[in-house]
Amino acid sequence: MTAQTEDTRIQDLEQDWMNEAIRLATASVANGGGPFGAMVVKDGKVIAAGNNQVTATLDPTAHAEVSVMRAACKELGSFSLEGCVLITSCEPCPMCLSSALWARVDRIVFAADRHDAAVAGFDDRKFYDLFEKQPTSMWPMEIAHLDLPNRTAPFDAWLAKSDRIDY
């Protein structure tokens, strides 16, 4: 198979997966959930698929992307999603993007963007702006540093642990 043929095959697969993520997002709306769907794919196989579960589980972190990354990690038996692609119906919010970075996802593919989401009332742009432009003194919550003498005790214990699993 030539490189161009392989690229075309991957593009076709990604389009199919994206259509499924969009279908999951649309079905989520019909079932009382948020309009977001996502999938984690590795080696051409879907490892996990799902939708936004925020209102269903009363969990503000249960975005589609986070939910499927959690499921994929369990399926793969690893906290790392290295070698995986995150397919998502909408551009990941800063939390989901950060989660994907921590999970070491190789690639993210999305359809709708933050501006499309804002039109529907999901204005993540303010969070992007907060991280990109605003000093913490301008954030809508106070962030305080309490400098205690034992502040590094957890890290000291971590570094002293000979059988730790670095991540």
Side-chain angles (χ1 to χ4, degrees):
M1 184 178 295
T2 67
Q4 185 176 13
T5 305
E6 178 64 11
D7 288 346
T8 301
R9 186 183 76 79
I10 291 170
Q11 288 173 350
D12 289 346
L13 282 171
E14 286 182 350
Q15 186 171 10
D16 291 344
W17 294 327
M18 184 60 71
N19 283 326
E20 178 61 11
I22 292 168
R23 188 198 67 73
L24 288 166
T26 305
S28 179
V29 172
N31 294 318
F36 303 95
M39 304 167 73
V40 172
V41 176
K42 184 171 185 172
D43 299 328
K45 291 178 54 180
V46 175
I47 305 301
N51 59 287
N52 180 286
Q53 296 289 315
V54 170
T55 57
T57 62
L58 304 178
D59 178 355
T61 67
H63 291 200
E65 298 90 339
V66 172
S67 296
V68 299
M69 285 188 285
R70 286 176 181 153
C73 286
K74 286 181 182 174
E75 181 67 27
L76 295 171
S78 173
F79 59 83
S80 174
L81 295 177
E82 198 170 327
C84 294
V85 178
L86 176 63
I87 307 286
T88 180
S89 64
C90 187
E91 180 179 11
C93 72
M95 177 186 71
C96 294
L97 183 58
S98 296
S99 297
L101 288 166
W102 274 108
R104 293 163 182 81
V105 168
D106 281 6
R107 188 162 178 254
I108 297 172
V109 181
F110 66 90
D113 65 18
R114 65 183 84 171
H115 308 291
D116 298 319
V119 170
F122 296 91
D123 198 353
D124 295 342
R125 291 177 299 185
K126 62 185 174 187
F127 298 124
Y128 280 102
D129 289 347
L130 187 69
F131 288 112
E132 292 171 359
K133 299 176 185 172
Q134 298 293 326
T136 56
S137 62
M138 303 287 290
W139 286 23
M141 69 178 83
E142 180 183 353
I143 299 175
H145 177 217
L146 186 58
D147 189 11
L148 297 177
N150 63 342
R151 72 186 179 279
T152 63
F155 298 123
D156 297 340
W158 171 257
L159 290 171
K161 185 174 172 55
S162 63
D163 63 343
R164 71 178 180 264
I165 298 173
D166 292 323
Y167 62 97

